[in-house]
């Protein structure tokens, strides 16, 4: 799992607009985190084993952070989509009153809405990645929609997957909780960097701190 002795952690810090500092740390394994499939560790004493300053082109730091947000958003959507697929499969197989529970509007409409919300977030992510790779002027603003939509749609889809499974969904044997915990961990990481309110404000301002025309 990579959480044993000898593990090293690489931290990156922005020293200036054109300088990025890489620091090597020796973290110690911590307690189990929210996501049981992802071991966690922490730097108890921020002792730097080694460091190096790299000169980069102006704006590189923000591009790297944008790329990380898009990757986390994509991972969140993958986990949420798997939870949705699991819920849809259960809705087709679980029968009550001699018919599949997926035939009930309360369930099938919810699953359909979750699919549409995840698809919207996925399309926003694809557009953001394309704009980012092409260096388009709209790349900064486009990259704000993906984490916003991914967190909202992903969290709801994973939570609804638990509900569709009913009492089974709250048992340890049902893997739906693993998808939910992965989604919640990634959502927390995304929102810790940029909150929902800040994303909406930056979208309104045009993505670069200026009011949209």
């Amino acid at each position: 799992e990579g959480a044993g002795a000898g593990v090293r952690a690489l931290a990156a810090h922005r020293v200036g607009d054109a300088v990025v500092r890489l620091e090597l740390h020796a973290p110690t394994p911590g307690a189990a985190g929210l996501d049981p499939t992802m071991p966690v560790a922490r730097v108890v004493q921020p002792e730097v084993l080694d460091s190096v300053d790299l000169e980069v082109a102006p704006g590189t730091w923000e591009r790297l952070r944008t790329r990380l947000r898009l990757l986390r958003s994509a991972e969140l959507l993958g986990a949420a989509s798997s939870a949705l697929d699991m819920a849809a499969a259960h809705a087709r197989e679980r029968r009550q009153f001699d018919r599949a529970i997926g035939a009930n509007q309360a369930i099938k409409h919810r699953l359909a809405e979750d699919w549409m919300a995840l698809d919207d977030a996925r399309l926003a992510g694809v557009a953001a990645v394309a704009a980012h790779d092409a260096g388009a002027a709209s790349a900064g603003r486009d990259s704000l929609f993906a984490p916003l939509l991914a967190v909202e749609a992903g969290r709801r889809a994973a939570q609804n997957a638990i509900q569709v499974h009913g009492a089974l969904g709250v048992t340890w044997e049902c893997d739906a909780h693993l998808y939910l915990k992965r989604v919640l961990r990634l959502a927390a990481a995304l929102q810790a960097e940029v909150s929902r309110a800040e994303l909406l404000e930056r979208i309104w301002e045009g993505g670069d701190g200026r009011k949209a025309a």
Side-chain angles (χ1 to χ4, degrees):
E1 294 180 340
V7 175
R8 296 293 180 261
L10 188 65
H13 307 278
R14 181 171 62 176
V15 180
D17 188 49
V19 178
V20 173
R21 177 171 298 162
L22 300 180
E23 296 179 350
L24 190 64
H25 297 271
T28 57
L34 174 64
D35 184 353
T37 65
M38 297 290 290
V40 296
R42 65 182 63 205
V43 179
V44 180
Q45 295 179 346
E47 179 182 356
V48 180
L49 301 179
D50 195 8
S51 67
V52 61
D53 289 348
L54 302 177
E55 293 187 6
V56 297
T60 298
W61 177 259
E62 289 304 324
R63 286 195 294 273
L64 290 174
R65 289 171 67 90
T66 297
R67 187 171 297 180
L68 177 60
R69 284 198 298 270
L70 293 176
L71 286 171
R72 281 177 171 167
S73 300
E75 184 182 358
L76 190 154
L77 287 174
S81 296
S82 295
L84 176 60
D85 291 342
M86 186 177 180
H90 180 77
R92 290 191 296 267
E93 296 171 0
R94 180 76 169 96
R95 301 183 68 84
Q96 287 184 342
F97 304 108
D98 201 29
R99 69 172 186 172
I101 62 173
N104 299 319
Q105 290 186 356
I107 292 180
K108 66 180 179 181
H109 286 185
R110 180 180 297 179
L111 293 175
E113 290 171 356
D114 288 343
W115 184 89
M116 292 178 64
L118 290 176
D119 192 54
D120 287 343
R122 188 178 298 108
L123 291 174
V126 170
V129 169
H132 180 75
D133 289 345
S138 63
R141 188 168 187 266
D142 290 346
S143 66
L144 303 177
F145 290 98
L148 177 67
L149 296 176
V151 167
E152 292 185 352
R155 184 184 290 160
R156 186 179 66 186
Q159 291 172 341
N160 284 341
I162 301 289
Q163 293 292 327
V164 170
H165 282 81
L168 177 64
V170 295
T171 61
W172 187 262
E173 291 78 9
C174 180
D175 288 342
H177 74 96
L178 297 175
Y179 293 118
L180 175 63
K181 291 171 181 176
R182 176 65 60 89
V183 167
L184 293 179
R185 179 181 64 81
L186 291 168
L190 286 167
Q191 292 186 325
E193 182 181 357
V194 184
S195 66
R196 180 178 184 274
E198 185 178 349
L199 281 173
L200 290 172
E201 182 178 358
R202 288 171 61 180
I203 289 172
W204 171 255
E205 292 177 349
D208 56 1
R210 296 175 297 178
K211 293 293 183 182

